[in-house]
């Protein structure tokens, strides 16, 4: 057995910021060196950010990625960091062999850097093509397993999806007799994915016959949020160390690893073929002699967050990084006194700071007194800049000229409010936050160019019943820390209403939200059909009504702002349905 001090840098790169991402690598490598690490690993596509989508098809972007990689070893040496091996993800326009690949697809790659050189490369073999991923469109798959000998230990390197699928490089790791399987990742967040990753890592470590170290990205990129949660497990699946969720961190621990087996070459001039898998083993040597023994320091195991805490952290991360990475210094939100705008404003305040979040109350003649007072109370609790802009005079002008009534008049009020928000955005550079939730978006209970106006929608993937849970959790959390709860109790307890006509309630048009969300969970998340929903106990007429509303609202969802993904199936790339579509699944007579 031989010791190795490993550092996993779960950091937050910005897509396309090659200079900034290079500086991140330098800064965190210095931290790893100061802590005596023998190897530091960064996430998948560290130098580019992830996912790059069709930027991968732009040769200038690929070239910039490769040039940044080629410059990085020299930068490390200049910073006095050339002796510590660094593993970093990037985009390359050469296949596994390292030869030029002009005009072809690039590869999702990772490289070993040491003493001013790129000493080894690995290429992602399994390319995910489901959910939010579309990597077959963008990348060329790899066909090798990279094994690098460091201090007498053979370290196999793979990229993200390669451990999520059977076969491929991981299947070859045991035959390569590696002492450590290192996996670099950009794995997006979903609720309880930390449990899935632990089970997966444990299973793959057992299959590989060695400990597994999994380093993951953290931060927000458009609708995706990366939660960190880097993890190291033993061959038996025991957790040796684990990083925090939703925070940059350097996870450092000492490992006692199997030395390279006698008779296994340290480096090979030609790849070793593995006919049964189609994967070739490429071996490289950095140092053959094991380090002298020293007292091993176990790594930390970060405490897991509760469901509400991790969802809330994901939403805050998504809002913060979307705003900051896109150059917004402030946000504006319509405060109605209701639960959705209250939670959205609280999330934005936690993400950006109270001074940067501007609340606007826009009462109409149908707005209740308690809605106005709840909006003001929320702004006071959060410490937001707050203003009141009555919309009745503006609405009256439209009505006098257009003679609108009924639903058209209701929607007009929402659109006037949207115009006010966009005017403030144009004037002051605010990011407009849309407060709609997943339940409303599912059934089309939004007004296009009204309450759907915005640049980002924090609750887009949050069902209404979960909105209430998160609000209650956030208030309780504040109380536990000796602070005033941010959300007024009346915003949580009162019946939801758009307040666009006298006495209006959401239940005038929709079933109770706990029933609606159960149906939507089955239909949207699980793709269950009418017969399955009825068999589950839902009333046939209600099933038909809800499904009709969901199907008819696809055109609205296409025009809704982006928002952070927290569920298995968020609206957008997770669920791709045509707008023009006459097929409807209906309840059969007698059901």
């Amino acid at each position: 057995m031989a010791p190795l001090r490993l550092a996993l840098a779960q950091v937050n790169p910005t897509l396309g910021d090659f200079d900034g991402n290079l500086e991140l690598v330098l800064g965190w490598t210095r931290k790893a060196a100061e802590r005596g690490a023998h190897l530091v690993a960064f996430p998948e596509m560290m130098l580019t950010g992830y996912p790059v989508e069709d930027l991968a098809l732009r040769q200038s972007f690929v070239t910039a990625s490769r040039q940044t990689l080629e410059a990085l070893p020299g930068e490390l040496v200049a910073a006095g960091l050339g002796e510590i091996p660094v593993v970093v993800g990037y985009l390359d326009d050469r296949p596994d062999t390292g030869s030029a690949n002009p005009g072809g697809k690039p590869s999702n790659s990772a490289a070993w850097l040491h003493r001013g050189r790129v000493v080894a490369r690995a290429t992602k073999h399994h390319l995910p093509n489901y959910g939010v991923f579309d990597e077959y469109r963008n990348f060329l798959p790899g066909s090798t397993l990279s094994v690098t000998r460091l201090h007498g230990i053979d370290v196999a390197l793979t990229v993200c999806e390669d451990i999520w699928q059977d076969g491929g490089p991981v299947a070859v790791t045991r035959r390569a007799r590696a002492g450590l399987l290192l996996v670099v990742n950009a794995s997006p967040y979903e609720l309880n994915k930390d449990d899935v990753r632990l089970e997966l890592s444990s299973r793959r470590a057992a299959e590989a016959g060695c400990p597994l170290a999994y380093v993951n990205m953290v931060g927000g990129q458009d609708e995706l949020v990366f939660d960190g949660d880097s993890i190291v497990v033993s061959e038996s699946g025991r957790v040796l160390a684990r990083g925090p969720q939703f925070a940059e961190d350097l996870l450092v621990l000492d490992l006692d690893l199997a030395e390279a087996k006698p008779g296994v070459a340290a480096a090979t001039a030609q790849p070793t073929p593995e006919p049964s898998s189609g994967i070739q083993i490429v071996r490289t040597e950095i140092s053959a002699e094991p380090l002298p023994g020293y007292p091993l320091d176990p790594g930390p195991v970060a405490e897991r967050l509760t469901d509400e805490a991790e969802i809330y952290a994901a939403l805050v991360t998504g809002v913060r990084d979307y705003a900051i990475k896109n150059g917004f210094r402030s946000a504006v939100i319509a405060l109605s006194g209701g639960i959705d705008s209250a939670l959205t404003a609280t999330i934005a305040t936690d993400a950006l700071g109270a001074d940067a979040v501007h609340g606007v109350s826009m009462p109409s003649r149908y707005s209740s007194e308690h809605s106005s007072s709840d909006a003001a109370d929320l702004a006071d609790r959060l410490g937001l800049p707050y203003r009141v802009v009555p919309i009745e005079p503006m609405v009256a002008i439209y009505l006098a000229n257009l003679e609108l009534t009924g639903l058209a008049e209701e929607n007009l009020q929402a659109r006037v409010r949207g115009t006010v928000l966009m005017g403030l955005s144009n004037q002051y550079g605010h990011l407009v936050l849309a407060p709609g939730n997943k339940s409303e978006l599912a059934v089309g209970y939004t007004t296009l160019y009204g309450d759907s106006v915005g640049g980002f929608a924090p609750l887009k993937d949050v069902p209404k019943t979960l909105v209430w849970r998160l609000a209650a959790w956030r208030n309780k959390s504040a109380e536990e820390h000796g602070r005033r709860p941010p959300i007024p109790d009346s915003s949580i307890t009162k019946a939801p209403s758009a307040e666009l006509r006298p006495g209006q309630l959401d239940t005038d048009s929709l079933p109770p939200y706990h029933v609606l969300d159960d149906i939507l969970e089955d239909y949207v998340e699980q793709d269950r059909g009418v017969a399955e929903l009825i068999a589950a106990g839902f009333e046939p007429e209600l099933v038909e009504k809800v499904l009709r509303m969901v199907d008819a609202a696809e055109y609205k969802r296409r025009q809704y702002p982006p928002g952070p993904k927290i569920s298995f199936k968020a609206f957008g790339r997770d669920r791709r349905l045509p707008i023009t579509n006459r097929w409807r699944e209906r309840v059969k007579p007698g059901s």
Side-chain angles (χ1 to χ4, degrees), residues 319 330-349 352-354 356-362 375 378-379 382 384-389 417-418 420-422 424-425 430-436 450-451 453-459 560:
V319 171
S330 57
V332 63
I333 178 172
L335 298 184
S336 68
I339 187 63
D340 297 317
S341 65
L343 182 61
T344 300
T346 305
I347 290 167
T349 301
L352 305 175
V357 181
H358 296 255
V360 184
S361 173
M362 293 173 282
L378 174 78
L382 293 174
L384 308 181
Y386 176 68
R387 65 191 295 180
V388 178
V389 181
R417 289 182 173 122
V420 171
L421 292 174
M422 289 309 302
L424 294 173
S425 172
H430 302 319
L431 170 65
V432 179
L433 297 178
D451 51 341
V453 156
F456 201 64
L459 305 183
Y560 205 73

Side-chain angles (χ1 to χ4, degrees), residues 202-255:
S202 298
R203 177 157 43 90
R204 294 306 187 203
E207 292 173 8
C210 63
L212 182 150
Y214 179 109
V215 58
N216 193 30
M217 190 177 288
V218 70
Q221 169 59 34
D222 292 345
E223 295 194 295
L224 299 184
V225 178
F226 300 94
D227 56 323
D229 187 36
S230 300
I231 188 171
V232 182
V233 298
S234 69
E235 179 182 347
S236 65
R238 180 170 61 91
V239 176
L240 301 176
R242 197 160 193 176
Q245 296 166 278
F246 305 103
E248 288 191 306
D249 184 67
L250 189 69
L251 183 62
V252 180
L253 75 158
D254 287 316
L255 295 168

